[in-house]
Amino acid sequence: MSTAEALVAANRDLWTRIATHPFVRATADGSLPRETFDRWLVEDHFFVVGFRRFLGRLLELAPDEPARDVLAGGLAALAPELELFRREAAARGLDLGSEPCPTNLGYTAFCQAAPSDGFVVGLTVLYGAESAYLDAWTAVRERAAASSPYWGFIDNWSSSAFRAYVADLAALLDRVTDGAPGHAEQRAFSRVVRFELRFWHAVHAGERWEDDPGRATPR
Ligand code: MP5
């Protein structure tokens, strides 16, 4: 079993819930309310902007040229991706500058802090987040109608090019961990899985700073 496979296997139950989350299901079958998708778009744009800074930092920490090749490819793909977000936001009349919800701010800050724990932990976070989106959007792709308004986003994270990028990240992770995750990688990956689920829940439910902080789940 590779490092990536071991990490996913150790979080199997929660991992499965990512691609079957009600937000993902509703995006696929076309039943997602427009304002819920709009909320995801604004929140995820904030995440990706922060994620690009995280990836830039990780690229700087990469141990060798093959590792830099993989990460630089991922970084380059974020320019057209952010263009897609901006275009869609403008078409939908959305303000991309609005305040992110607590879960999103926490997840983005967690990603940006990960390289402080070293390249391998940072790469583990990168692999987890990209792989979670690959699985979620592949699940959307499998059920979405040809007329779905979301194909730009579906293609972005379920194309063969993106799948190949995630496979390259898995191979790199396997190489730099000598085939098995250490304790720090296991902990980081488990946090990514929990944050991914929380993120879907937050955008689906409309988490707000005004929510009662004493309650376990938003709204
Ligand atoms: C990704 C994302 C994938 N856009 N949003 C979340 C919450 N998780 C993962 O990252 P990228 O950089 O858009 O491929």
Side-chain angles (χ1 to χ4, degrees):
M1 198 188 278
S2 71
T3 298
E5 287 167 342
L7 290 168
V8 172
N11 294 274
R12 179 56 67 193
D13 289 354
L14 290 183
W15 190 263
T16 308
R17 281 173 52 193
I18 293 174
T20 57
H21 190 278
F23 184 103
V24 176
R25 287 232 157 112
T27 304
D29 68 25
S31 66
L32 195 76
R34 183 189 174 95
E35 63 270 23
T36 310
F37 190 81
D38 287 354
R39 185 158 59 222
W40 167 80
L41 202 149
V42 174
E43 292 285 353
D44 211 48
H45 172 265
F46 178 89
F47 178 87
V48 175
V49 165
F51 204 72
R52 178 156 73 170
R53 295 171 66 188
F54 152 63
L55 195 44
R57 176 110 197 272
L58 204 57
L59 175 61
E60 218 172 275
L61 297 179
D64 52 34
E65 216 46 31
R68 279 188 282 274
D69 283 343
V70 175
L71 298 189
L75 203 51
L78 290 184
E81 180 177 313
L82 282 167
E83 266 308 307
L84 171 65
F85 274 98
R86 292 180 195 127
R87 218 170 36 242
E88 280 288 324
R92 290 166 173 264
L94 304 174
D95 174 13
L96 288 177
S98 47
E99 182 71 353
C101 69
T103 294
N104 189 15
L105 188 61
Y107 189 18
T108 306
F110 164 75
C111 292
Q112 289 187 329
S116 304
D117 289 327
F119 177 75
V120 181
V121 165
L123 180 65
T124 303
V125 169
L126 175 63
Y127 171 74
E130 300 288 36
S131 187
Y133 251 41
L134 171 66
D135 279 15
W137 289 93
T138 298
V140 175
R141 178 180 210 100
E142 282 161 3
R143 296 170 64 200
S147 59
S148 167
Y150 307 135
W151 277 103
F153 294 102
I154 296 170
D155 281 337
N156 189 64
W157 293 292
S158 68
S159 65
S160 51
F162 189 70
R163 184 171 297 278
Y165 168 58
V166 174
D168 285 346
L169 290 177
L172 177 58
L173 188 59
D174 209 40
R175 176 163 71 85
V176 297
T177 55
D178 285 329
H183 177 68
E185 289 76 58
Q186 288 170 358
R187 193 175 54 186
F189 192 84
S190 152
R191 287 179 179 164
V192 169
V193 176
R194 283 175 283 146
F195 263 130
E196 283 289 334
L197 265 178
R198 289 243 169 185
F199 181 87
W200 285 124
H201 182 74
V203 293
H204 196 227
E207 179 188 279
R208 296 169 313 142
W209 284 94
E210 293 77 16
D211 292 335
D212 179 354
R215 287 165 66 174
T217 48
R219 279 215 271 197

